[in-house]
């Protein structure tokens, strides 16, 4: 199943689209925040980074059913890969 066919909420879709445009490459949290909230005059809700972190946690569970993995690595950001590709899921994860 392609990423476009997976049922996701609005914020989940925004995050997945941001990561999938850079498939396999590390995406900084600031880039994800800009994709999610950049068009808002207030820059997003208080605790926007925590919202992204929780949403990514939920996305990991949802996407794993379809063979996709969101990896997180301190100071590198997050990346979306197909399970088993580019080293699999063996790298250190963080939310």
């Amino acid at each position: 199943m392609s990423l476009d066919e997976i049922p996701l909420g609005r914020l989940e879709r925004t995050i997945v689209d941001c990561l999938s445009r850079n498939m396999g490459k590390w995406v900084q949290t600031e880039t994800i925040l800009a994709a999610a909230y950049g068009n808002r005059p207030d820059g997003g809700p208080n605790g926007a980074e925590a919202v992204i972190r929780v949403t990514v946690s939920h996305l990991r569970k949802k996407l794993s059913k379809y063979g996709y993995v969101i990896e997180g690595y301190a100071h590198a950001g997050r990346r979306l890969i197909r399970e088993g590709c580019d080293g699999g899921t063996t790298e250190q994860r963080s939310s």
Side-chain angles (χ1 to χ4, degrees), residues 65-92:
K65 297 174 190 173
Y66 302 98
Y68 292 94
V69 177
I70 297 176
E71 295 182 327
Y73 193 71
H75 307 293
R78 293 176 177 82
R79 70 178 177 175
L80 179 66
I81 61 170
R82 290 287 294 182
E83 193 165 3
C85 296
D86 198 21
T89 61
T90 58
E91 292 196 35
Q92 176 183 348

Side-chain angles (χ1 to χ4, degrees), residues 29-30 32-49 51-52:
T29 300
E30 294 79 18
I32 298 170
L33 286 166
Y37 302 116
N39 62 343
R40 287 181 49 166
D42 64 358
N46 289 335
E49 285 188 42
V51 172
I52 297 297

Side-chain angles (χ1 to χ4, degrees), residues 6-11 15-17 19 28 34 38-40 47 51-53 61-62 64 66-69 72 74 80:
I6 299 172
L8 300 172
R10 188 177 57 83
L11 180 57
I15 293 170
V16 167
D17 287 349
L19 293 172
Q28 294 291 319
N39 62 343
R40 287 181 49 166
V51 172
I52 297 297
R53 197 168 38 251
K61 293 173 189 157
K62 283 185 177 184
S64 69
Y66 302 98
Y68 292 94
V69 177
L80 179 66

